[in-house]
Amino acid sequence: MSALELLGGAYFYQTWSYDYPTPEAVVAHFLDDEPESVVELLTEVDRLIASDLSESQLDDVLDKAGFCYSPRLDGRTNRGWLKVVAAMSARRVLRLPPEHD
């Protein structure tokens, strides 16, 4: 199982929004719970961001990875949301404190 599949299938489950206030909170929990998967997740997400995949194709990738979340529901593109996941993962790899709005 890839890190993206672990994040999607085990953390973005069907009722994740009852347990977490935001998708970023889900990602933060994953980064805390799965430190050995952070570099792999960053690599996978960076590869998707850099790809020529369309939004529809990225929908398919996220769906196949088990995500019960669509960034479009929050007014985001898939690629834009993946950039947020990449930034959070990179900060963790570099051991920087989380950004706060």
Side-chain angles (χ1 to χ4, degrees):
M1 175 180 297
S2 75
L4 189 67
E5 291 169 331
L6 180 60
L7 175 61
Y11 290 82
F12 277 96
Y13 46 84
Q14 200 167 23
T15 58
W16 70 266
S17 62
Y18 294 116
D19 297 324
Y20 300 96
T22 65
E24 290 81 4
V26 179
V27 174
H29 186 202
F30 172 86
L31 297 174
D32 288 343
D33 277 8
E34 309 290 344
E36 69 284 350
S37 298
V38 175
V39 171
E40 181 185 349
L41 178 65
L42 179 57
T43 301
E44 290 180 80
V45 170
D46 278 345
R47 190 174 304 125
L48 288 171
I49 292 166
S51 75
D52 292 333
L53 295 175
S54 68
E55 281 296 303
S56 178
Q57 290 169 317
L58 288 172
D59 276 337
D60 291 342
V61 169
L62 295 175
D63 187 52
K64 287 178 184 171
F67 283 81
C68 290
Y69 170 64
S70 173
R72 292 178 184 182
L73 296 175
D74 292 328
R76 301 175 177 180
T77 64
N78 289 313
R79 191 165 268 106
W81 182 73
L82 289 169
K83 288 178 181 178
V84 171
V85 175
M88 291 177 70
S89 300
R91 292 186 72 76
R92 188 60 57 97
V93 168
L94 297 172
R95 300 183 191 275
L96 297 174
E99 286 189 292
H100 293 10
D101 293 329

